[in-house]
Amino acid sequence: MNITYKYDILDYHLFYVDEIDSTNTFLKDNYISYPDKTILIAEKQTNGRGRNNHKWVSSNDLTFSILFKEKQNYLIPALAIVNALKSFNIISLIKWPNDVYLDDMKISGILIEDVYQEEFMASIVGIGINLTDKPDFNVKDLKELYTLDKYELLKKIALEYNILMKLDQKSLIELYKKYSLVLGRYIKYENDIYEVINIDIDGHLIVSNSNGIKEISYGEIEIKKALI
Ligand code: BTN
């Protein structure tokens, strides 16, 4: 494992590694030695991690983590990806909380990990974007996605991230709702079916069914295609 500095993208510092267990794990363990807004991009991860202890398996995709020394707004990474893809005319949506979908296919996952040592030390935003491994061209825009240059996409994501960091929570939520894949749809959560009727200012889902209205603030949801 040999980590090399490549160049700066805006105010981000891009480092490259050929093979590593996980870019998130590395930056979590080494945040002290790297500056704010370090991006570590890996050609290959041998132990890529997803949310809820899932594995993240990818090869030849866009796989990177960003180290921030300030607490991050959890809405921003998915929105940055959606906006970046939009600049290449690829229209994607966000499945709560922060998966990015083309049609009904997940193309990107985000793992945000905060490091605390009594107080907040760092936030690692890990992003994986599948640029090659699901050859299902029935999905609109998938072919376009596969022709994207990794580093061009990364540059756009950094640019969009910085723009979004300047917005207040209300504007972020408005955007998040605009690009939501789940708003107005039926979902399954902990064995019950609900309709998603709103997303509140904290980014929590407001859902309803015959038992009433409730708020979902964590966990996994499944989108239901039909009410069966
Ligand atoms: C998910 O969908 O569950 C989140 C997947 C996050 C994967 C990225 S790839 C780069 C970074 N390093 C990791 O080990 N995970 C994240």
Side-chain angles (χ1 to χ4, degrees), residues 157-220:
I157 292 171
L159 180 78
E160 294 296 339
Y161 208 110
N162 279 358
I163 295 171
L164 290 160
M165 278 172 101
K166 297 197 179 91
L167 299 184
D168 62 12
Q169 183 71 8
K170 191 166 167 277
S171 314
L172 287 172
I173 282 290
E174 265 166 33
L175 278 176
Y176 187 89
K177 282 164 82 165
K178 179 172 164 196
Y179 293 115
S180 173
L181 178 67
V182 302
L183 194 56
R185 290 180 75 172
Y186 288 92
I187 57 147
K188 188 171 176 189
Y189 177 71
E190 292 178 347
N191 292 323
D192 285 315
I193 307 282
Y194 300 93
E195 184 183 2
V196 180
I197 55 171
N198 199 6
I199 298 170
D200 72 11
I201 190 76
D202 298 317
H204 299 164
L205 295 183
I206 308 299
V207 298
S208 84
N209 66 9
S210 53
N211 295 324
I213 292 179
K214 89 181 222 159
E215 181 185 311
I216 300 177
S217 60
Y218 66 91
E220 285 297 314

Side-chain angles (χ1 to χ4, degrees), residues 137-173:
F137 290 147
N138 293 326
V139 174
K140 196 175 152 290
D141 287 346
L142 204 51
K143 205 157 43 190
E144 280 68 21
L145 180 72
Y146 290 171
T147 61
L148 290 186
D149 177 84
K150 258 194 226 188
Y151 287 90
E152 284 301 311
L153 179 56
L154 177 62
K155 198 164 121 193
K156 270 282 177 219
I157 292 171
L159 180 78
E160 294 296 339
Y161 208 110
N162 279 358
I163 295 171
L164 290 160
M165 278 172 101
K166 297 197 179 91
L167 299 184
D168 62 12
Q169 183 71 8
K170 191 166 167 277
S171 314
L172 287 172
I173 282 290

